[in-house]
Amino acid sequence: MTETTGVPARLAALKLLDAVLRQGLPLEAALERAGAGLAPRDRGLAHAIAAAVIRWLPDLDELIDSATRNRLADDAKARMALRIAIAQALVLKTPGHAAISTVLPLVDGGPRKLVHGVFGTLMRKNVALPDRPTLPYATLYRWQKNWGDVMLAAAEHAIADQPPMDIALKGDGPVPEGVSLAPNHMRLGDHGPVTEIPGFAEGSWWVQDLAAQIPARLLGLNGGHVLDLCAAPGGKTLQLASAGWNVTAVDASDSRLARLRENLERTGLEAEVITADLLDWKPSAPADAVLLDAPCSATGIFRRHPDVLHRVRPKVIAEMAAVQAKLLARAARWVKPGGRLVYATCSLEPEEGEDQLAAFLMAHGGFRLDPVRADELPAGVTPSANGTVRTLPTMLADQGRLDGFFVARLVRV
């Protein structure tokens, strides 16, 4: 393969797409491997190209299929190369000659002529992408069934737009300008590198989506000892520590907990941090409160991680729901009588939220739902009829929207 200028970044993008679409790996995890050895600029470009392809995949494929006599296989190199070239031209606004010349070396033999011809045909027609991306068909069907057409339209707008950056405030120190949608919250507008934003070096805030801030908010101020389970990357631990709780943070991933330890040091907050598998570990005594932000399909964070919509299938959702049920039953044992249990997932799948809660309450008569009040939630977010919280991309539509979360607060009686 000729090392034409720009080709290494496109080759890395090709490897990223293969890892996500064929192997089912998260984009960020795949980047660690596919981007190894690349210059930072090429690594960033590879990520941008792959993310653009993933975000617009159904629409890119529709354009490709409109210009080919016989449908190309989904994993054919010719289709992958065309996705990369068209995404560069239509999404990243790369000049057409550069978009095609840097992908042709990715394709050997006869398919190279096909790629060149299809790309040229589409560019001569001045094709364009729709105003907003089409969701993957499996996701579209599932969400339409569960949430309806209004939510689908909102999700398509959400995936098309750059999400704003939310920060949680410690309560002291310098704070950047922005819009506050809840106590100790700020939503920022245009900003430079995170480390250069006012207050970062002083440890007066940390990055955390507004929806992700809700679970810890529902435990209120200092109530004693709290277990933050599946704690990494640590935003909820920081919230609880800043609210005066005595926090024990537990997670199975030591590498992900490293970020939490760094943020604890930067903010000057304190928490006991433990690396352990929750199915093996147990505390020495029950706690006043337990927050379980359970591992899940993560379809609720599709705005920043559109690859989840292509990786998650019903089998994955069912597998994650089974893990959540085990963790929830185990965490329930660690709550003192009269103590509270907050269960949360960053998923838009009812199997991991509403259905999971219903099954838990049927099996655990010692717990009752503690309904969330509207005045406990950010402006524009309302509790469900039964007092749980379900955030959807329809919320805060004129202020940057929210990630998708399910949150329930229970009391051990």
Side-chain angles (χ1 to χ4, degrees), residues 109-286:
R112 182 179 295 188
K113 184 177 180 180
L114 172 66
V115 168
H116 193 281
V118 170
F119 182 82
T121 297
L122 292 174
M123 294 302 105
R124 286 191 295 273
K125 289 182 178 179
N126 292 318
V127 296
L129 293 168
D131 292 337
R132 56 184 190 262
T134 301
L135 297 175
Y137 299 119
T139 303
L140 191 150
Y141 173 78
R142 199 170 65 243
W143 285 1
Q144 185 177 48
K145 175 185 174 184
N146 292 329
W147 308 114
D149 291 336
V150 174
M151 183 275 195
L152 278 181
E156 290 174 344
H157 281 291
I159 201 172
D161 299 333
Q162 178 67 32
M165 189 171 85
D166 291 319
I167 61 174
L169 309 179
K170 188 175 70 171
D172 56 28
V175 176
E177 293 184 4
V179 177
S180 179
L181 299 174
N184 294 321
H185 163 268
M186 195 69 70
R187 175 161 283 184
L188 307 186
D190 293 336
H191 59 83
V194 171
T195 56
E196 297 178 10
I197 299 174
F200 177 86
E202 295 83 352
S204 58
W205 54 264
W206 55 91
V207 177
Q208 189 179 18
D209 188 82
L210 180 57
Q213 296 180 27
I214 292 175
R217 289 178 180 274
L218 299 186
L219 288 175
L221 299 177
N222 180 12
H225 181 216
V226 60
L227 300 176
D228 182 10
L229 306 180
C230 305
K236 298 174 188 67
T237 296
L238 298 171
Q239 282 182 278
L240 294 165
S242 66
W245 288 83
N246 173 20
V247 188
T248 299
V250 187
D251 196 277
S253 173
D254 194 54
S255 61
R256 297 185 73 226
L257 283 174
R259 183 176 169 188
L260 170 55
R261 293 186 175 96
E262 291 171 1
N263 276 323
L264 286 171
E265 182 176 356
R266 181 175 62 87
T267 58
L269 296 169
E270 295 183 358
E272 180 185 15
V273 181
I274 298 173
T275 303
D277 185 335
L278 290 176
L279 295 178
D280 297 324
W281 180 86
K282 65 179 180 180
S284 58

Side-chain angles (χ1 to χ4, degrees), residues 71-86:
R71 190 180 188 282
L72 299 171
D74 287 342
D75 60 352
K77 268 196 175 180
R79 181 180 288 278
M80 286 291 202
L82 281 165
R83 288 166 171 169
I84 291 171
I86 299 167

